[in-house]
Amino acid sequence: MTDGDSLSPFPHRHLLGIEGLTPPEITLLLDRSERFVERNRQVGEKPAELRGRTIICLFFEASTRTRTSFELAGKRLGADVITMSVSASSVRKGETVLDTAMTLNAMHPDALVVRHPESGAVKLLSEKVTCAVINGGDGSHEHPTQALLDALTIRRRVGRLENLDVAICGDIQHSRVARSNIHLLSIMGARVRLVAPRTLIPAEVERLGVGVYHDMHEGLAGCDIIMMLRLQTERMNANFFPSKREYFHFYGLDYEKLSRANPEALIMHPGPMNRGVEIDSVVADDFSRSVIYEQVEMGVAVRMACLELMAGSGAQAAGRNI
Amino acid sequence: MTFHIDKAPRRLAFVNARLLDPASGLDAVGGLLIAGESIADVGDHLTAASVPPDAMVIDAEGHCLCPGLVDIRVQLREPGEEHKATLASTGEAATAGGVTSMVCLPNTNPVIDDMSVVEFVARRARLLGLTKVYTYGAVTKGLAGETLAEMGLLSEVGAVAFTDGVHAIGNAQVMRQALNYARSFDLIIAQHPEEPSLAEDGDMNAGEVATRLGLSGIPRQAEVIMVERDLRLAELTDGRIHFAHLSTRAAVEAVRAAKARGIRATCDTAPPYFALNENAVGDYRTFAKLSPPLRAEEDRLAVIDGLADGTIDAIASDHAPQSEDAKRLPFGQAAFGGIGLETLLAVSLELYHNGRLPLLDVLRLLTCKPADLLGLPAGRLARGLPADLILFDLERPWRVREYELHSKSKNTPFDYRPVQGRVLLTVVDGRRVYAYDR
């Protein structure tokens, strides 16, 4: 570690997950994101903190919003951003995630943003490269920038994270968004409850310190935040529920179920939404309650903060990996 | 290379050894005399002064001399996957681990469902002259779980028992017929007890660790469901069923109850299941991706209880070499399996060093019990038997380091583990096939 490194405000070389981060570290990321929110709303010449830096967005799995959000974040900071969609090319030729990592590392990028369909793949890749790695979502494991943008949205709307009751509803089993949010909200002092049919609740999840409900009416009672999750049908290989119609009847968010929550409760969704399956269209579009598009806006700011910290001039900290 | 093959001297004598023969309960200081390929004499009456003058004498310096280990679950990889292991590399690993007889699974390529493959393996092993190699035959052709293989003919050319290897026989009717047919020849069917549809797509034990890591879980009930089904089928057919590598409390309890009811059931386990638990997966450590998966701590303790009370009949290495390419992948894509031949003794001795089992009981699970289970002429220090034995330092500490192992593939779940107990010398048919040289 050099002198410059010891001044780094974020002591991690990579951002691989939320688990293990401390409250001050999360607060730092959110505070720095905050600065970019207003800046993104203004027109005109943008400062360029990452001019001359190269960021590669490496996506082994299809993504529109996360990829675009990272690309935009990098470009608004003045970095050169390259996106590679690997699923259709090298992997089909037999190249492994490590081969790809080594190849890209030889091109000396400053940061890699990686999405991969396998849990742990981003960690594996991070062990082989010399640049910073930001997890853009790995399997069912973590999606840290999503949890940060959710937290930023909540903090701006409600003014705090601690002492809130947050219900995360839907496909917890396959959701990296849920895992990152469980960690972040718990670390920051919120109370998390999960609401889903038993088939979509992972084993022993209550050991993560969450409440588990199988009835939406009970699960939403008095809660301040409702996070709906997308049904990850592409990851489902078995009968997790009988039909989308039945799923919507019991677990789809409509006004009737919403009435059990705190009247001020915010409605969130990481997108893309399956309207009429996990959320009723009229609820999704009720902008007095739904902050779904605000989440997208916060996403760019959060990713700018992460890229600035990980790929910027003070980012060569040789701290522990997270 | 630390092993070398001697031409067998006419007579070889060990003196000043701690003789350990679990079959007879012998634990005494004495000597052992080998004449040609067999044990000529053993006992506390043999001293440096009393051995025949023409014998080559080895002073054991008080170290333990016991029967060579009998390992009833090893994956060969030759023929078919020689980049992972060959008969030679497996033999070297086995002799370094003190294994003098091993029984190999039929999941080679081609599968051991044909007499010619049994004979190929036997011939190659004989030529190598290292550890003795026996084979399981396949229960079903191509290990496909559908049509019975020629079990009678396979047993005639040397297959010692039958199994579909790492695949569970999922179809109950096929298992029923296999047990029933094998009974005609009094053959054992060894099952990988894992209900396939519950284990399908699973990466590790279902539980908190899997949930945290976002990995798909295999519920432990997958094991006991298969065990209980097969116990019923063994009861129905009066067949002989053997369950490989038990890993859960429920399965151990099921076998315990079945034995009490008189069902002809036996079982083994492997060191990972009594020395590790699911936490060894840690941060996506693919060397700890095993089949069955590493379980919870309470299961690990139940497996030790099963070893202590005799419910579990043997300890096998469950040696499953995988190439670096097959393991250096995201956890979900990595292959199952870990190597175990060279750590079998040292990790098993933890049971003794930790005060869980007497020394002779640990060695019994590694020698005469597995030998008796499959009817192998091995596992005892007795006059007239083949001179397959090992000399080991019970106390010597060492740390498992994958790069120091002889196995061609290095995927040990025990990498970095400090252990106690080191094989110093391995003798097969009176020939020294391994000597520890550091």
Side-chain angles (χ1 to χ4, degrees):
Chain A
M1 191 180 276
T2 66
D3 288 343
D5 297 335
S6 63
L7 297 174
S8 172
F10 190 71
H12 307 293
R13 187 171 150 224
H14 307 302
L15 179 65
L16 301 181
I18 297 292
E19 191 175 19
L21 292 182
T22 62
E25 289 163 3
I26 291 170
T27 303
L28 168 83
L29 286 165
L30 297 178
D31 289 348
R32 292 181 84 105
S33 304
E34 196 84 58
R35 293 188 313 159
F36 292 113
V37 176
E38 284 311 312
R39 210 170 104 178
N40 284 340
R41 288 177 179 173
Q42 291 162 8
V43 288
E45 190 71 18
K46 309 277 184 192
E49 291 87 339
L50 295 185
R51 181 172 294 138
R53 307 269 164 178
T54 308
I55 294 160
I56 299 180
C57 296
L58 180 58
F59 280 66
F60 292 87
E61 188 181 72
S63 160
T64 303
R65 70 185 57 212
T66 302
R67 196 200 66 218
T68 311
S69 182
F70 268 110
E71 281 177 2
L72 209 51
K75 285 178 175 167
R76 285 188 180 166
L77 292 168
D80 296 316
V81 184
I82 294 160
T83 296
M84 290 182 59
S85 295
V86 193
S87 54
S89 57
S90 303
V91 170
R92 291 234 175 108
K93 296 176 197 161
E95 186 169 271
T96 67
V97 62
L98 285 181
D99 295 334
T100 309
M102 300 297 280
T103 303
L104 292 175
N105 195 52
M107 301 179 193
H108 300 294
D110 296 287
L112 281 175
V113 177
V114 185
R115 167 167 287 194
H116 198 283
E118 291 286 347
S119 300
V122 180
K123 161 108 181 29
L124 182 67
L125 185 147
S126 74
E127 291 163 0
K128 289 288 161 196
V129 298
T130 47
C131 65
V133 174
I134 296 174
N135 185 355
D138 64 325
S140 305
H141 177 221
E142 283 231 40
H143 192 354
T145 56
Q146 178 70 42
L148 287 164
L149 74 87
D150 290 340
L152 185 64
T153 309
I154 296 169
R155 203 178 72 164
R156 285 173 62 89
R157 280 287 189 131
V158 187
R160 66 178 199 282
L161 293 169
E162 72 276 11
N163 218 19
L164 291 175
D165 286 297
V166 184
I168 305 178
C169 312
D171 185 1
I172 316 288
Q173 175 79 35
H174 302 99
S175 177
R176 51 196 172 213
V177 175
R179 281 169 182 74
S180 283
N181 265 308
I182 289 168
H183 295 312
L184 189 148
L185 293 163
S186 305
I187 292 165
M188 299 306 284
R191 291 176 294 273
V192 179
R193 41 178 116 157
L194 308 178
V195 191
R198 287 179 185 274
T199 46
L200 293 174
I201 295 279
E204 299 181 7
V205 74
E206 57 284 350
R207 290 207 193 176
L208 304 189
V210 297
V212 176
Y213 295 82
H214 307 295
D215 180 297
M216 277 286 266
H217 296 90
E218 288 175 19
L220 295 187
C223 73
D224 304 301
I225 310 287
I226 304 167
M227 286 186 175
M228 300 306 297
L229 296 174
R230 185 175 68 85
L231 276 176
Q232 312 236 337
T233 45
E234 74 277 14
R235 293 183 199 276
M236 293 184 186
N237 55 356
N239 295 302
F240 287 95
F241 54 89
S243 71
K244 288 179 178 172
R245 185 173 69 167
E246 176 156 331
Y247 183 85
F248 181 72
H249 178 74
F250 290 103
Y251 296 99
L253 185 66
D254 54 21
Y255 276 120
E256 191 267 324
K257 297 184 188 93
L258 184 58
S259 68
R260 305 297 292 265
N262 178 336
E264 307 292 313
L266 299 181
I267 298 163
M268 306 178 80
H269 194 297
M273 286 182 283
N274 295 308
R275 290 168 180 265
V277 180
E278 67 244 1
I279 190 163
D280 192 339
S281 242
V282 291
V283 176
D285 295 335
D286 177 353
F287 296 117
S288 68
R289 314 283 299 271
S290 162
V291 293
I292 293 168
Y293 294 103
E294 202 170 316
Q295 289 173 267
V296 178
E297 184 189 1
M298 294 307 119
V300 179
V302 159
R303 283 154 187 149
M304 288 170 79
C306 292
L307 287 172
E308 186 206 11
L309 279 167
M310 312 302 294
S313 55
Q316 285 80 30
R320 64 198 165 97
N321 294 345
I322 286 293
Chain B
M1 202 171 292
T2 55
F3 82 99
H4 51 88
I5 302 169
D6 285 356
K7 192 167 179 239
R10 219 163 59 80
R11 292 212 257 199
L12 176 67
F14 288 89
V15 296
N16 191 25
R18 181 178 174 186
L19 298 170
L20 293 162
D21 181 35
S24 62
L26 173 69
D27 181 355
V29 175
L32 183 142
L33 180 67
I34 298 168
E37 297 183 358
S38 309
I39 297 171
D41 199 3
V42 58
D44 54 7
H45 59 281
L46 278 176
T47 64
S50 67
V51 296
D54 64 335
M56 178 194 287
V57 177
I58 296 175
D59 185 345
E61 298 173 354
H63 292 312
C64 300
L65 187 73
C66 83
L69 311 187
V70 178
D71 187 351
I72 60 171
R73 197 171 177 90
V74 173
Q75 296 190 45
L76 271 190
R77 306 294 186 221
E78 181 183 346
E81 291 184 292
E82 287 84 354
H83 65 292
K84 294 181 177 176
T86 60
L87 266 158
S89 72
T90 309
E92 286 177 34
T95 53
V99 174
T100 55
S101 296
M102 58 184 174
V103 189
C104 299
L105 297 190
N107 59 339
T108 46
N109 183 15
V111 168
I112 305 181
D113 60 0
D114 185 272
M115 291 184 287
S116 62
V117 192
V118 177
E119 287 171 342
F120 165 82
V121 172
R123 190 172 65 250
R124 294 271 292 132
R126 251 196 326 274
L127 286 172
L128 284 164
L130 294 166
T131 289
K132 293 174 180 172
V133 180
Y134 300 89
T135 53
Y136 285 98
V139 175
T140 64
K141 285 181 186 156
L143 308 177
E146 291 165 5
T147 314
L148 293 186
E150 294 167 332
M151 289 193 275
L153 290 172
L154 287 164
S155 74
E156 272 195 353
V157 294
V160 295
F162 291 83
T163 179
D164 269 2
V166 298
H167 300 292
I169 299 166
N171 183 313
Q173 178 68 350
V174 170
M175 189 53 151
R176 175 192 173 188
Q177 296 296 53
L179 283 163
N180 214 359
Y181 184 74
R183 196 185 150 216
S184 322
F185 306 94
D186 201 30
L187 297 169
I188 288 181
I189 303 288
Q191 171 75 301
H192 167 81
E194 191 170 49
E195 211 297 314
S197 65
L198 285 174
E200 194 178 38
D201 297 330
D203 298 320
M204 66 172 295
N205 188 45
E208 183 190 349
V209 182
T211 293
R212 275 183 190 278
L213 296 175
L215 295 172
S216 55
I218 302 172
R220 27 183 147 161
Q221 285 74 9
E223 184 168 282
V224 72
I225 286 170
M226 190 58 97
V227 166
E228 290 189 331
R229 184 202 77 174
D230 287 351
L231 288 170
R232 297 285 174 188
L233 293 174
E235 196 171 24
L236 173 70
T237 58
D238 197 25
R240 293 175 68 191
I241 182 79
H242 177 83
F243 299 107
H245 46 217
L246 286 196
S247 66
T248 62
R249 173 187 292 277
V252 172
E253 286 172 354
V255 172
R256 186 178 289 132
K259 283 183 167 186
R261 291 213 316 274
I263 295 172
R264 298 206 295 167
T266 52
C267 61
D268 67 65
T269 191
Y273 305 110
F274 57 78
L276 299 171
N277 63 28
E278 61 189 336
N279 294 326
V281 171
D283 225 353
Y284 302 102
R285 215 169 139 254
T286 56
F287 277 12
K289 183 175 179 180
L290 306 178
S291 176
L294 295 170
R295 306 288 186 181
E297 179 63 5
E298 66 154 311
D299 293 304
R300 186 184 77 86
L301 296 173
V303 167
I304 294 175
D305 290 343
L307 288 166
D309 73 5
T311 301
I312 299 177
D313 299 90
I315 298 172
S317 72
D318 210 11
H319 183 78
Q322 297 292 359
S323 64
E324 198 167 327
D325 289 346
K327 282 290 190 183
R328 282 184 58 193
L329 290 170
F331 199 89
Q333 296 172 352
F336 285 97
I339 57 169
L341 280 166
E342 286 162 272
T343 49
L344 177 61
L345 179 67
V347 177
S348 297
L349 285 175
E350 287 181 5
L351 295 166
Y352 162 72
H353 290 301
N354 293 339
R356 302 304 300 257
L357 263 73
L359 180 57
L360 279 181
D361 285 2
V362 176
L363 295 175
R364 189 172 289 119
L365 289 158
L366 293 163
T367 57
C368 57
K369 287 194 77 176
D372 292 350
L373 194 66
L374 298 184
L376 307 180
R380 286 179 162 70
L381 296 185
R383 218 175 277 184
L385 286 181
D388 300 343
L389 42 94
I390 57 171
L391 186 68
F392 69 95
D393 182 341
L394 180 62
E395 306 296 340
R396 184 173 309 198
W398 57 289
R399 189 181 284 273
V400 179
R401 298 309 307 270
E402 44 102 352
Y403 57 82
E404 290 179 356
L405 301 177
H406 296 73
S407 177
K408 188 168 182 179
S409 292
K410 307 293 186 187
N411 52 306
T412 169
F414 296 110
D415 198 19
Y416 288 97
R417 189 180 183 90
V419 290
Q420 204 177 344
R422 171 64 100 169
V423 175
L424 303 175
L425 194 69
T426 303
V427 175
V428 171
D429 281 339
R431 289 172 296 113
R432 289 178 293 172
V433 291
Y434 170 80
Y436 179 61
D437 66 356
R438 268 158 288 176

